[in-house]
Amino acid sequence: MGYPTTGKEVYVSLNLSNTMLTGIGKGTITRENVSVDYLKDLFSKYGVIVSCKPEQRAVLQRMNQTYDFGLEIPESLKLFQLSEQHRRLVIVNVAGLQRKNGSLLPSYTEEELNEATFTFIKYYVQSKHYDDLVAENEKLKRELEQDEAWINRTDSI
């Protein structure tokens, strides 16, 4: 499955680190669990860039096989930072695999990989700060309440 090159690709990684977030400046990050179908639509619309260590390749290949993502898995680690153009990051959570000190092992047997399950979390960077979004929301609520009061008014004649 070939995904487009749009300049606004979605990053996919097995880990979240602070260095991924340093390119965004002041803003708000939303986080949500997403489905495989949602991701396929997202990747089809924006394209995708995979960032993983070479030793994690087998885990991502298993994910590709399981969900038919068709992701191109790089030979070496591609570092990235979220930015105004690249606002979306999908973190792949892997369960069912043995870990050492919380990290995935360098390799797994076929039987171990068969036990792996995957969930997906999308992070989205909004250019507005949370406080500004709250203030805008409050303003819109007040305007709506005023409009409803006007529509539902009872005039005495």
Side-chain angles (χ1 to χ4, degrees):
M1 182 179 301
Y3 293 111
T5 301
T6 63
K8 296 182 179 186
E9 286 80 7
V10 178
Y11 290 116
V12 173
S13 182
L14 291 169
N15 304 306
L16 178 64
S17 71
N18 284 334
T19 58
M20 296 174 180
L21 307 175
T22 58
I24 58 175
K26 187 176 179 180
T28 300
I29 300 173
T30 58
R31 176 188 185 277
E32 65 178 315
N33 293 325
V34 293
S35 69
V36 170
D37 290 335
Y38 176 89
L39 288 178
K40 286 180 178 181
D41 288 343
L42 193 68
F43 297 160
S44 294
K45 183 175 183 180
Y46 294 103
V48 63
I49 298 171
V50 176
S51 174
C52 70
K53 296 176 184 175
E55 61 266 19
Q56 297 168 332
R57 186 175 184 81
V59 173
L60 286 177
Q61 285 174 331
R62 177 52 53 102
M63 181 194 71
N64 250 348
Q65 292 169 353
T66 303
Y67 300 109
D68 193 32
F69 278 131
L71 298 178
E72 292 181 26
I73 302 169
E75 294 295 326
S76 60
L77 177 63
K78 289 185 178 185
L79 298 176
F80 66 88
Q81 290 181 340
L82 295 178
S83 65
E84 286 300 309
Q85 291 78 32
H86 297 283
R87 295 171 172 253
R88 294 167 186 86
L89 166 63
V90 173
I91 298 296
V92 180
N93 285 327
V94 184
L97 292 179
Q98 186 177 16
R99 295 172 183 264
K100 183 174 183 180
N101 297 327
S103 297
L104 292 170
L105 300 177
S107 65
Y108 294 97
T109 66
E110 196 66 27
E111 292 78 25
E112 289 172 319
L113 286 172
N114 287 338
E115 297 298 317
T117 59
F118 304 91
T119 56
F120 308 97
I121 299 172
K122 181 187 81 170
Y123 292 83
Y124 180 76
V125 177
Q126 297 181 28
S127 59
K128 289 188 178 182
H129 189 270
Y130 178 78
D131 295 339
D132 297 334
L133 291 170
V134 169
E136 183 178 329
N137 192 31
E138 290 299 320
K139 179 181 176 247
L140 290 171
K141 279 183 188 176
R142 283 191 306 275
E143 290 173 0
L144 180 61
E145 288 169 358
Q146 289 173 349
D147 288 349
E148 287 176 342
W150 174 255
I151 291 168
N152 298 325
R153 75 188 183 287
T154 55
D155 293 333
S156 301
I157 298 180

